[in-house]
Amino acid sequence: IGQTDPNLAVPTGFIAGGSKITLYPLKNWKDFQWFVRKTRNREWDAATVALDSYTFVGDRLVTELMEDSSNIKGDGNLKLQMWNHVKNDQWEEVMGLVSGTNPIDGKSSYHVVVTIHEREEWEREPIGTTQAGEIQFRDKLVCVRPSVPGGLREGFGRMFDCVFISQEHPKYEKVGSVNKIVGAEHVLWTVPPDELRQVKDGVGGKAGRRILPPTVTNTWEALCQGWGVDPLTMKGV
């Protein structure tokens, strides 16, 4: 796992439980490029390569470019040509990462898993005018997209065979006559749960097999059971 989150409680908990996981901290864009290169060259002794999460990696690319004053306009934002670099550099590296799924003679291929956060996108919508003739606006939530910098945002999902949306819901337990929150449960959506998530490519991922139900338990075993395949070989059972 290429790990960007300083909170290691979840992965170390799996490791303590016996899972064969090795963590590699990624602190900047060059660390991510190193991780991609190792994956592209099939240098891991692993079945699965995971990145958690790409949101941090993309943010680091922009931040590091902004540290060079020659890349910045007078308003403090990146120049247009630098945004083109942001999009192209992201595309190249992510495609290099997912290339690890392709078999190469004499070398293994991997399952490649990438997590990413979402971001809400709002716009100002006119709702009328005042008696003085001033236009009144309200903020309207128009969509929820992957939190990716630059122009890669809309097409990020196209680079993956399967896209899932994970949501955390409170877990309740009845104590007397009152429902109290005692934890959280995670639901993995295989279809967008609402119209705000304009994911057009690969949601749920048939993987050439059966269509999954709208929600599944967020485990690899549950996904494979839904597809009717063995979780290790990905062959039909």
Side-chain angles (χ1 to χ4, degrees), residues 34-46:
W34 168 86
F35 189 77
V36 170
R37 185 170 62 252
K38 298 274 284 187
T39 304
R40 188 174 56 236
N41 295 339
R42 310 298 195 277
E43 296 180 31
W44 307 116
D45 180 16

Side-chain angles (χ1 to χ4, degrees), residues 70-129:
S70 65
N71 296 331
I72 299 191
K73 300 185 296 181
D75 61 3
N77 292 313
L78 285 177
K79 297 176 180 177
L80 178 60
Q81 61 267 36
M82 296 314 301
W83 280 116
N84 290 333
H85 279 297
V86 168
K87 180 178 180 180
N88 293 337
D89 289 351
Q90 289 183 96
W91 179 268
E92 181 178 344
E93 296 300 334
V94 175
M95 288 300 291
L97 183 66
V98 299
S99 73
T101 62
N102 299 325
I104 293 179
D105 289 343
K107 294 186 178 181
S108 301
S109 60
Y110 311 115
H111 302 301
V112 175
V113 179
V114 175
T115 67
I116 190 167
H117 296 280
E118 293 181 317
R119 60 179 286 176
E120 296 178 346
E121 297 191 9
W122 297 74
E123 66 179 22
R124 302 197 71 195
E125 178 183 56
I127 57 174
T129 56

Side-chain angles (χ1 to χ4, degrees), residues 201-234:
D201 303 278
V203 177
K206 297 179 186 178
R209 303 168 182 87
R210 296 188 300 206
I211 299 175
L212 293 167
T215 61
V216 294
T217 305
N218 58 338
T219 66
W220 179 242
E221 289 77 11
L223 290 177
C224 290
Q225 183 179 9
W227 281 323
V229 297
D230 181 88
L232 293 178
T233 65
M234 287 298 288

